[in-house]
Amino acid sequence: MNFEEEKNIAVILMAGKGERFSSSLPKQYVLIGSKELFLYTIEPFLTCPLIDFLLFVIPSSFEKKTEEILIKNKISKEYAVIPGSFSREESSYEAIKFLKDKKTNPSSTILFQDGDRPFLEEKTILDNVYSAKQFSAVVTAFPATDSLALSEDGYTLSSYLPREKIYCLQTPQTFSFSLLDKAFSQAKKPLRDYTDEGSLVLDALGKKPRVILGKKKNVKITYQEDFAAFEEKI
């Protein structure tokens, strides 16, 4: 692919160890039905006509395994596989460095997607791309429906949060490449202190990401019971 042309690139973040999942194998590689979890996640990116390229950011010892899975499943779009780092944002930075080395067009749109969110719909991807072209920074989220409270000590409630102002963040989170590049260059270190790309862009540049309304079902597979619930649906 010619990266110097304006493109829409999906970064699939799957370098995490998934320690809460309690498995010897990273959860994104666990078989659900006949295929690995992350393959369900990328399905809408493969069918979405706006996505030109997929960049998989993976655990450092899983390059061969990932390539074998992608080849076996005859992935239809161009892609690359690179090792990630110790935290989400350090892994995201590895993706940015890869894209810089490829001389990626500053106007290209970069989507960051958790590799363990298998319920994403193509419409959400389309909404992200179209909105990022207009606003440069967008995040997928949905309004909180539960009452939310703050605990200072982990035992008692200190205060209640205004539910009508709270959003639950999801992925994709989508940005223009030029904005991301600038944000990472000006971000505080260590990058692991940031929770996601939206928080990094907001803190480093003061850029307020636009909210794209997602769906509550677009959840992460975090615990064994999440795995079991998803397995029942396929």
Side-chain angles (χ1 to χ4, degrees):
M1 188 181 80
N2 184 357
F3 287 86
E4 295 183 17
E5 296 178 356
E6 185 175 340
K7 300 291 184 181
N8 301 315
I9 299 168
V11 176
I12 312 300
L13 295 170
M14 41 191 284
K17 296 179 180 178
E19 293 174 347
R20 289 175 293 181
F21 188 69
S22 301
S23 171
S24 58
L25 188 68
K27 60 187 172 181
Q28 55 271 30
Y29 294 95
V30 172
L31 282 175
I32 300 181
S34 60
K35 58 186 180 182
E36 289 77 9
L37 172 60
F38 81 89
L39 291 176
Y40 292 95
T41 299
I42 67 172
E43 282 179 354
F45 291 99
L46 298 176
T47 58
C48 181
L50 295 185
I51 299 301
D52 301 299
F53 187 85
L54 279 70
L55 178 58
F56 295 90
V57 186
I58 65 164
S60 58
S61 60
F62 279 77
E63 291 95 334
K64 183 179 178 181
K65 182 176 181 64
T66 306
E67 288 281 7
E68 289 174 347
I69 293 170
L70 295 173
I71 292 170
K72 176 184 176 182
N73 287 274
K74 300 178 181 178
I75 298 305
S76 58
K77 291 190 175 180
E78 290 188 70
Y79 66 86
V81 176
I82 64 171
S85 191
F86 300 105
S87 71
R88 177 198 172 102
E89 285 318 289
E90 288 167 322
S91 290
S92 295
Y93 186 46
E94 293 301 318
I96 295 304
K97 290 192 291 184
F98 173 89
L99 294 173
K100 285 189 72 171
D101 289 343
K102 295 292 184 181
K103 297 181 171 54
T104 297
N105 189 303
S107 297
S108 286
T109 300
I110 316 299
L111 302 89
F112 289 88
Q113 171 68 17
D114 296 325
D116 51 4
R117 280 188 196 269
F119 299 104
L120 178 66
E121 296 181 355
E122 185 176 311
K123 182 182 182 300
T124 304
I125 297 173
L126 294 171
D127 290 345
N128 267 258
V129 173
Y130 289 133
S131 296
K133 298 293 185 187
Q134 181 178 1
F135 300 108
S136 299
V138 301
V139 298
T140 306
F142 70 92
T145 55
D146 297 322
S147 295
L148 299 166
L150 179 68
S151 175
E152 298 287 355
D153 58 11
Y155 301 100
T156 58
L157 298 185
S158 308
S159 61
Y160 279 79
L161 305 177
R163 182 176 60 190
E164 67 276 7
K165 295 182 179 180
I166 304 298
Y167 281 79
C168 302
L169 298 180
Q170 302 177 328
T171 59
Q173 297 193 6
T174 307
F175 310 85
S176 69
F177 182 65
S178 60
L179 183 80
L180 275 176
D181 187 21
K182 184 177 181 182
F184 272 102
S185 68
Q186 297 185 18
K188 298 173 184 175
K189 306 298 185 292
L191 291 174
R192 67 178 67 96
D193 290 343
Y194 293 101
T195 59
D196 58 5
E197 294 71 44
S199 65
L200 184 143
V201 166
L202 179 61
D203 181 72
L205 303 179
K207 176 70 175 179
K208 297 180 179 179
R210 187 85 168 184
V211 172
I212 299 299
L213 287 178
K215 293 191 175 182
K216 194 170 185 177
K217 72 173 187 178
N218 182 24
V219 297
K220 293 177 68 174
I221 302 297
T222 303
Y223 300 103
Q224 287 285 348
E225 52 263 39
D226 301 329
F227 179 96
F230 179 48
E231 197 168 29
E232 291 178 359
K233 294 180 180 181
I234 61 171

